[in-house]
């Protein structure tokens, strides 16, 4: 079930909300948690019930291992905690690897050794990348004795809580479990409901109105066009850059808003990433909970910055390379991760050397680096990525025929005259959309800042209503990009 | 600033009003005008008509084709004149070629007592290979037989009415254009889904009257016809193709049209006979004068009545044998 669907907004969400608080009102707190797990699994199974056993097995396994790990010091075991943790991580990564990467692996083996191994053609179980990471974090924390005694129901709520189940934010048990346990959170909180609805409606607007509009143009450029001129290629890449941001941050806002209705505060996942003035700054603002996970459970265990400069660079690069692979099974993702890892290394060296840069230039370089690397992230293969990049840097620049009198002399230098774009010639308002998108990402407060400023007054009510009007565009129902990861 | 509880009360009241007004308007619109669910008003209107008026179990005869079936075949006359066609549904819509008719006929499964399909057309319906994009016969069947899941229907209803200005425009056009039987845009169907035209004298559009269709024929269109006939035969449904009349002065003045008319009749007869279908050349049978035409190939009400009577006779005779 999509957050941006009528069945979710008008049926699932209100029904779940009222039953959950009704059970709590009757002091049936365990039943309310059980109901929340049931509702979340129903929400999850709406796509395909075939995925349900997998998430249940994964939860049961991780809960058992996590419990064993947290009790390990009190019991004598034939195997060490490290072995148990290793087994747990191998199980999780094995599951993820089997479903997400086996075909990629087989394809490469076939290519390298001219083999003919048949592909498994497995469907990627929804949200597997997210709940796997969340549970690995739980196992590691159990090993470090940082978890408390949770029963399975609490654990199930933590893993399956539907606002964050499908595409994050990737939550940490330590920030979730206490919230579910607090008695004050079991009572309806009108301020949280008002705030939650505001944030949810903002996310809905971002997704349905903005992201889905840019999606049309990005798809045209990446998937429909066979070649692109310079302006078309830049329009294509920028369309995707905006689509991805508004899509994912829209989803996150909706998740945060829905969780607030249940008095649960999900961690911040975005903080105006396109305002970043360096690649490091970008990763502090983009998909913050993924960056946090990668830092806590990969970069630091690899040694972080504690083992000398060269090792720090290697760790940084490795972390982002693996981050790239986490996003998808394909060489384009590998390259995307590698480019970001490389950029972070360069940035670190730059800082070490004490160099400074004008903020505007720094923003310009950062934004363009991100925009260009998203091309690899979006393209279905290298040919498609090269098509867009070639257009961006070597494609012909077509000067509108109406300006022929002013730029006649440019013809001698190979400039063509005509409509600036055949691909987008019917998109009258495209330019305005780009300007508006730049204004929003650079000059407006982000959702988290809006959240902090929120007051129950007519201004916010008006905004909530305006944003909610995007339900009239739900016919453009499309899945969120991050559901694919 | 108010208390959060009061804020929510006002917010929900306003949102509730918006949703209620939208739902009420959508409901009103859906009951009185064709919901915009495809990109063709004649398709929307036909689906809406079937949904509101037709009991699928009572249909034994489907008339299908372009406006040459919609306007030229009067289902009501067929029912009156024929001893065999007692439940007629004219499923036709504007400007559909044979490949689209083939797609459209996928919905015939919705009619459990269907006994015959009458494809009414002319060579001009075989000049393109266009198909409906994303044609979902299962969805269309469910929509027109009123068996869509209520959530899906609500979704459809709200989506259809999302653009209020579009709906208001359609409302207006329905009164001034689609509801006028002296215009080619007429879409107020009789009880079988036919739309006979009352276009005479000054209402005749000169361009359409004077100029014949281009004599273009596409093999893909004939292949679609073969598949239609074959499927009907497999489903044990009788299949008839009616070649509609064409203005004789145009045929006489344009040798290309004369030739294509002849070839078309020969080809269609040959192709569908192989699959057990029956061909009826209404043009040759009636040799109608210009008094019966609304343009080069569309009959007026008088013409379509005569034509429909002949079709009824032909079917009765064919099924007597």
């Amino acid at each position: 079930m999509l957050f941006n669907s009528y069945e979710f907004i008008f049926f699932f969400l209100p029904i779940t909300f009222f039953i959950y608080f009704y059970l709590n009102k009757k002091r049936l707190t365990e039943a309310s948690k059980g109901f929340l797990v049931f509702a979340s699994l129903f929400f999850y199974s709406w796509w395909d019930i075939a995925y349900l056993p997998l998430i249940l097995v994964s939860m049961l396994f991780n809960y058992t291992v996590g419990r064993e790990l947290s009790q390990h010091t009190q019991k004598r075991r034939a195997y060490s905690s490290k072995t148990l943790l290793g087994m747990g991580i191998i199980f999780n990564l094995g599951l993820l690897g089997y479903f997400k990467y086996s075909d990629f692996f087989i394809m490469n083996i076939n290519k390298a050794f001219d083999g003919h191994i048949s592909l498994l053609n497995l469907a990627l179980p929804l949200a597997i990348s997210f709940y796997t990471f969340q549970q690995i974090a739980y196992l590691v924390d159990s090993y470090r004795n940082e978890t408390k005694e949770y029963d399975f129901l609490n654990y199930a709520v933590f893993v399956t809580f539907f606002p964050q189940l499908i595409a994050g934010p990737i939550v940490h048990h330590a920030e979730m479990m206490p919230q579910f346990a607090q008695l004050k959170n079991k009572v309806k909180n009108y301020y949280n409901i008002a705030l939650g609805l505001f944030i949810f409606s903002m996310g809905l607007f971002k997704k349905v109105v903005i992201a889905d509009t840019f999606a049309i143009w990005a798809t045209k450029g990446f998937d429909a066009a066979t070649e692109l001129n310079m302006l078309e290629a830049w329009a294509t890449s920028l369309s995707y850059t905006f689509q991805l941001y508004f899509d994912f941050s829209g989803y996150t806002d909706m998740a945060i808003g829905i969780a607030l209705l249940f008095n649960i505060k999900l961690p911040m996942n975005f903080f105006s990433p396109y305002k970043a003035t360096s690649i490091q700054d970008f990763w502090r603002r983009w998909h913050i909970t993924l960056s946090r996970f990668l830092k806590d459970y990969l970069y630091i265990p690899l040694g972080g910055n504690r083992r000398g400069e060269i090792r720090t660079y290697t760790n940084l690069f490795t972390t982002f390379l693996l981050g790239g692979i986490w996003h998808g099974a394909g060489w384009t993702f590998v390259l995307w991760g590698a480019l970001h890892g490389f950029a972070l290394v360069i940035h670190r060296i730059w800082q070490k050397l004490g160099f400074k840069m004008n903020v505007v230039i720094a923003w310009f370089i950062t934004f363009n680096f991100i925009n260009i690397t998203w091309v690899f992230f979006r393209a279905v293969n290298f040919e498609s990525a090269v098509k867009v990049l070639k257009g961006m840097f070597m494609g012909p620049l077509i000067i509108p025929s109406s300006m022929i009198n002013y730029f006649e002399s440019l013809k001698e230098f190979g400039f063509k005259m005509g409509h600036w774009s055949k691909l987008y010639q019917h998109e009258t308002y495209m330019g305005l959309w780009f300007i508006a998108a730049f204004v929003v990402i650079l000059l407006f407060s982000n959702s988290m800042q809006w959240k902090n400023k929120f007051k129950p007054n007519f201004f916010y009510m008006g905004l909530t209503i305006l944003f909610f009007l995007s339900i009239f565009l739900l016919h453009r129902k499309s899945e969120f990009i991050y559901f694919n990861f | 600033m108010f208390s959060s509880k009061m804020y929510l009360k006002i917010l929900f009241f306003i949102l509730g009003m918006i949703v209620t007004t939208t739902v009420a308007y959508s409901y009103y619109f859906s009951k009185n005008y064709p919901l915009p669910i495809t990109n063709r008003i004649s398709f929307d209107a036909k689906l809406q008509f079937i949904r509101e008026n037709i009991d699928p179990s009572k249909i034994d005869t489907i008339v299908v084709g372009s406006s040459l079936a919609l306007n030229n075949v009067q289902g009501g006359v067929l029912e009156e004149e024929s001893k065999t066609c007692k439940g007629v549904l004219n499923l036709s819509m504007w400007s559909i070629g044979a490949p689209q008719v083939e797609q459209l006929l996928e919905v015939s499964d919705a009619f459990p007592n269907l006994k015959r399909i009458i494809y009414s057309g002319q060579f001009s319906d075989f000049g393109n290979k266009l198909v409906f994009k994303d044609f979902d016969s299962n969805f269309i069947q469910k929509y027109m037989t009123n068996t869509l899941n209520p959530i899906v229907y609500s979704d459809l209803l709200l989506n259809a009415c999302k653009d209020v200005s579009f709906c208001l425009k359609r409302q207006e056009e329905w009164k001034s254009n689609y509801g006028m039987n002296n215009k080619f845009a007429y879409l107020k169907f009789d009880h079988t889904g036919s739309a006979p035209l009352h276009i005479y004298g000054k209402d005749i559009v000169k361009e359409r009257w004077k100029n014949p269709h281009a004599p273009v024929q596409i093999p893909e269109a004939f292949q679609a016809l073969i598949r239609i006939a074959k499927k009907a035969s497999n489903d044990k449904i009788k299949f008839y193709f009616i070649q509609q009349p064409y203005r004789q002065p145009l045929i006489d003045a344009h040798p290309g049209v004369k030739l294509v008319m002849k070839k078309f009749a020969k080809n269609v007869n040959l192709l569908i006979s192989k699959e057990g279908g029956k061909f009826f050349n209404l043009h040759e049978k009636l040799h109608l004068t210009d008094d019966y035409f609304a343009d080069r190939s569309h009959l007026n009400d008088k013409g379509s009545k005569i034509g429909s009577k002949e079709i009824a006779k032909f079917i009765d005779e064919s099924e007597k044998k």
Side-chain angles (χ1 to χ4, degrees):
Chain A
M1 203 179 299
L2 296 170
F3 289 166
N4 54 330
S5 65
Y6 291 127
E7 57 267 30
F8 180 82
I9 294 172
F10 292 113
F11 297 99
F12 178 82
L13 184 59
I15 291 170
T16 307
F17 174 85
F18 283 114
I19 296 179
Y20 175 73
F21 282 109
Y22 175 78
L23 291 171
N24 275 317
K25 196 177 173 185
K26 296 283 170 194
R27 299 183 186 276
L28 300 166
T29 51
E30 290 304 294
S32 73
K33 274 185 207 162
F35 172 73
L36 204 53
V37 172
F38 168 78
S40 298
L41 292 174
F42 175 82
F43 168 84
Y44 182 77
S45 309
W46 187 262
W47 275 277
D48 192 344
I49 200 157
Y51 300 141
L52 187 61
L54 191 69
I55 192 172
L56 289 175
V57 167
S58 169
M59 267 194 320
L60 267 170
F61 176 85
N62 282 296
Y63 174 71
T64 312
V65 173
R67 220 176 138 81
E68 280 293 301
L69 281 168
S70 57
Q71 293 172 348
H72 206 267
T73 45
Q74 296 148 26
K75 296 179 184 176
R76 298 181 69 183
R77 296 264 187 263
Y79 43 82
S80 71
S81 296
K82 217 170 189 169
T83 312
L84 195 58
L85 175 66
M87 277 162 53
I89 292 176
I90 287 169
F91 170 82
N92 280 295
L93 293 180
L95 212 60
L96 186 62
Y98 176 70
F99 282 102
K100 195 165 178 175
Y101 302 103
S102 19
D103 277 351
F104 176 61
F105 187 68
I106 293 170
M107 270 194 295
N108 284 295
I109 293 274
N110 282 344
K111 215 169 189 179
F113 302 104
D114 202 19
H116 299 284
I117 308 168
S118 308
L119 297 180
L120 302 177
N121 291 320
L122 296 166
L124 181 67
L126 195 65
I128 190 169
S129 305
F130 286 90
Y131 67 69
T132 302
F133 267 29
Q134 204 159 305
Q135 295 187 102
I136 288 176
Y138 172 74
L139 293 186
V140 174
D141 289 347
S142 298
Y143 170 75
R144 291 170 180 165
N145 280 324
E146 289 170 6
T147 54
K148 290 183 185 160
E149 286 279 316
Y150 305 120
D151 60 24
F152 183 67
L153 192 57
N154 278 309
Y155 181 76
V157 175
F158 153 65
V159 177
T160 63
F161 184 47
F162 71 90
Q164 52 81 42
L165 171 63
I166 308 298
I170 300 172
V171 289
H172 200 271
H173 62 90
E175 65 198 353
M176 296 297 285
M177 302 294 212
Q179 293 194 68
F180 284 114
Q182 272 182 21
L183 281 177
K184 67 169 188 170
N185 286 347
K186 297 183 188 301
V187 182
K188 275 195 288 261
N189 179 321
Y190 293 110
Y191 178 81
N192 281 346
I193 297 171
L195 178 58
L197 287 174
F198 173 67
I199 300 290
F200 176 83
S201 66
M202 190 188 285
L204 186 69
F205 181 84
K206 280 183 179 176
K207 163 68 183 163
V208 175
V209 177
I210 309 179
D212 287 354
T213 298
F214 281 113
I216 297 165
W217 301 326
T219 305
K220 267 190 181 179
F222 274 101
D223 302 335
T226 47
E227 56 177 5
L228 299 164
N229 69 40
M230 191 177 280
L231 289 176
E232 284 172 342
W234 280 95
T236 298
S237 70
L238 283 172
S239 292
Y240 183 66
T241 295
F242 290 131
Q243 180 203 347
L244 184 61
Y245 170 64
F246 287 109
D247 187 284
F248 195 20
S249 75
Y251 170 84
T252 306
D253 287 349
M254 289 161 91
I256 288 172
I258 298 162
L260 267 173
L261 301 181
F262 294 84
N263 297 321
I264 301 297
K265 288 181 178 127
L266 292 180
M268 181 165 68
N269 217 16
F270 286 92
F271 200 84
S272 305
Y274 292 156
K275 284 180 187 166
T277 52
S278 71
I279 191 68
Q280 187 189 47
D281 189 19
F282 173 76
W283 279 106
R284 284 179 180 151
R285 294 164 176 265
W286 178 274
H287 205 173
I288 297 167
T289 55
L290 175 69
S291 305
R292 180 179 72 176
F293 178 91
L294 291 174
K295 183 180 147 217
D296 291 347
Y297 299 100
L298 192 57
Y299 177 69
I300 292 175
L302 283 171
N305 60 3
R306 302 183 309 273
R307 298 190 185 170
E309 275 307 296
I310 299 296
R311 186 64 190 268
T312 304
Y313 301 147
T314 314
N315 292 342
L316 258 180
F317 186 79
T318 310
T319 303
F320 276 85
L321 188 71
L322 293 173
I325 297 170
W326 175 84
H327 280 90
W331 286 108
T332 48
F333 287 108
V334 175
L335 181 62
W336 173 79
L339 286 169
H340 274 259
F342 186 65
L344 278 153
V345 170
I346 300 282
H347 175 257
R348 195 175 168 88
I349 294 170
W350 180 275
Q351 276 188 322
K352 273 271 160 199
L353 295 173
F355 292 154
K356 297 264 183 249
M357 191 185 278
N358 174 286
V359 177
V360 177
I361 298 171
W363 171 82
F364 184 79
I365 292 173
T366 308
F367 181 80
N368 277 290
F369 174 79
I370 292 158
N371 180 43
I372 291 163
T373 49
W374 280 145
V375 171
F376 292 104
F377 194 84
R378 167 63 176 80
V380 285
N381 51 40
F382 278 114
E383 289 76 44
S384 173
V386 167
K387 173 190 77 183
V388 178
L389 290 172
K390 198 176 154 194
M392 288 166 81
F393 296 104
M394 293 190 293
L397 181 62
I398 297 180
I399 298 166
S401 307
S402 55
M403 296 182 172
I404 199 160
N405 295 335
Y406 307 103
F407 298 104
E408 183 79 53
S409 54
L410 289 179
K411 270 172 135 179
E412 291 168 28
F413 300 99
F415 286 94
K416 290 181 181 171
M417 300 281 174
H419 193 281
W420 74 272
S421 165
K422 275 186 185 160
L423 186 66
Y424 298 120
Q425 62 180 329
H426 301 299
E427 311 295 351
T428 322
Y429 300 109
M430 200 177 186
L432 284 178
W433 275 91
F434 281 125
I435 293 168
F438 271 114
V439 169
V440 170
I441 59 151
L442 296 177
L443 304 179
F444 277 34
S445 302
N446 58 49
S447 338
M448 293 306 105
Q449 290 165 324
W450 281 103
K451 186 181 156 199
N452 295 334
K453 285 191 285 188
F454 177 82
K455 284 182 181 69
N457 60 25
F458 275 123
F459 175 70
Y460 286 96
M461 188 187 292
L463 280 181
T464 307
I465 290 166
L466 273 180
F467 289 145
F468 259 115
L469 291 180
S470 23
I471 59 170
F472 293 112
L473 289 175
L474 292 190
H475 65 287
R476 310 200 291 189
K477 207 182 293 177
S478 60
E479 289 196 356
F480 293 91
I481 293 176
Y482 261 71
F483 283 18
N484 300 322
F485 301 138
Chain B
M1 198 164 87
F2 357 72
S3 72
S4 297
K5 197 170 180 177
M6 179 54 72
Y7 172 92
L8 284 171
K9 277 184 180 171
I10 302 172
L11 177 68
F12 277 113
F13 175 74
I14 297 172
L15 288 176
M17 288 290 285
I18 293 171
V19 171
T20 310
T21 312
T22 310
V23 170
Y25 175 69
S26 306
Y27 182 76
Y28 161 77
F29 187 88
S30 73
K31 289 288 162 197
N32 295 284
Y33 305 96
L35 274 183
I37 59 170
T38 72
N39 57 2
R40 285 168 178 243
I41 175 123
S42 62
F43 200 169
D44 292 339
K46 186 51 57 85
L47 293 178
Q48 181 96 341
F49 166 80
I50 299 171
R51 185 182 170 84
E52 299 285 332
N53 302 288
I54 298 293
D55 175 355
S57 67
K58 291 191 174 148
I59 298 302
D60 58 27
T61 306
I62 282 179
V63 179
V64 74
S66 64
S67 54
L68 292 181
L70 179 72
N71 305 134
N72 288 13
V73 181
Q74 294 202 26
V77 176
L78 271 184
E79 282 179 341
E80 278 169 26
E81 298 291 323
S82 163
K83 287 179 186 124
T84 45
C85 309
K86 288 300 164 201
V88 178
L89 169 65
N90 193 330
L91 192 60
S92 320
M93 68 189 74
W94 300 337
S95 309
I96 55 170
Q100 286 165 314
V101 169
E102 183 190 7
Q103 285 178 294
L104 189 59
L105 281 172
E106 286 173 26
V107 305
S108 62
D109 295 345
F111 306 99
N113 300 315
L114 185 66
K115 292 193 174 68
R116 63 193 68 78
I117 292 169
I118 303 170
Y119 185 171
S120 163
Q122 187 46 279
F123 72 90
S124 51
D125 295 325
F126 286 70
N128 70 65
K129 51 180 178 183
L130 296 177
V131 289
F132 290 118
K133 231 176 161 188
D134 307 322
F135 186 83
D136 183 348
S137 66
N138 188 34
F139 170 80
I140 289 174
Q141 272 186 50
K142 283 185 178 167
Y143 174 72
M144 68 184 197
T145 53
N146 227 338
T147 51
L148 268 184
N149 167 333
I151 296 176
V152 177
Y153 182 66
S154 313
D155 193 5
L156 189 76
L157 200 64
L158 291 173
N159 283 337
C161 298
K162 67 191 180 293
D163 187 347
V164 178
S165 65
F166 178 87
C167 290
L168 291 172
K169 199 176 152 207
R170 178 166 277 195
Q171 256 183 262
E172 184 49 41
E173 282 177 346
W174 192 255
K175 284 177 197 152
S176 62
N177 205 10
Y178 305 118
M180 306 296 283
N181 65 7
N182 62 340
K183 291 185 175 177
F184 282 102
Y186 182 55
L187 283 174
K188 260 191 173 173
F189 307 123
D190 68 8
H191 75 279
T192 65
S194 300
L197 301 172
H198 289 257
I199 297 178
Y200 303 97
K202 65 175 173 41
D203 290 327
I204 289 172
V205 180
K206 278 183 187 158
E207 289 304 305
R208 299 176 66 130
W209 182 265
K210 276 185 191 169
N211 301 321
H213 293 94
V216 180
Q217 303 284 267
I218 300 280
E220 285 86 347
F222 289 95
Q223 283 153 15
L225 179 69
I226 298 170
R227 288 193 298 270
I228 294 170
K230 201 173 263 178
K231 185 177 182 296
S233 165
N234 290 343
D235 295 347
K236 305 213 175 342
I237 290 171
K238 294 187 173 67
F239 180 67
Y240 300 94
F241 188 95
I242 315 295
Q243 184 175 11
Q244 282 291 328
Y246 209 81
R247 277 192 63 225
Q248 195 59 43
L250 284 179
I251 298 172
D252 296 339
H254 298 272
V257 174
K258 192 172 195 169
L259 186 69
V260 81
M261 284 274 290
K262 256 191 183 169
K263 271 192 174 175
F264 176 74
K266 196 179 152 194
N267 283 342
V268 172
N269 194 2
L270 188 75
L271 294 174
I272 65 166
S273 302
K274 278 185 193 165
E275 305 300 338
K278 290 209 162 60
F279 175 76
F280 180 41
N281 194 332
L282 195 60
H283 175 83
E284 289 297 331
K285 176 81 186 173
L286 293 176
H287 281 294
L288 292 176
T289 64
D290 280 354
D291 291 343
Y292 298 96
F293 281 89
D295 71 357
R296 57 202 163 189
S297 55
H298 290 90
L299 300 174
N300 56 31
D301 181 55
K302 276 196 302 184
S304 60
K305 268 189 184 130
I306 294 175
S308 304
K309 279 181 190 171
E310 282 302 324
I311 296 170
K313 258 191 237 169
F314 174 74
I315 288 170
D316 282 355
E317 277 167 23
S318 303
E319 296 195 13
K320 226 189 256 175
K321 290 170 195 171

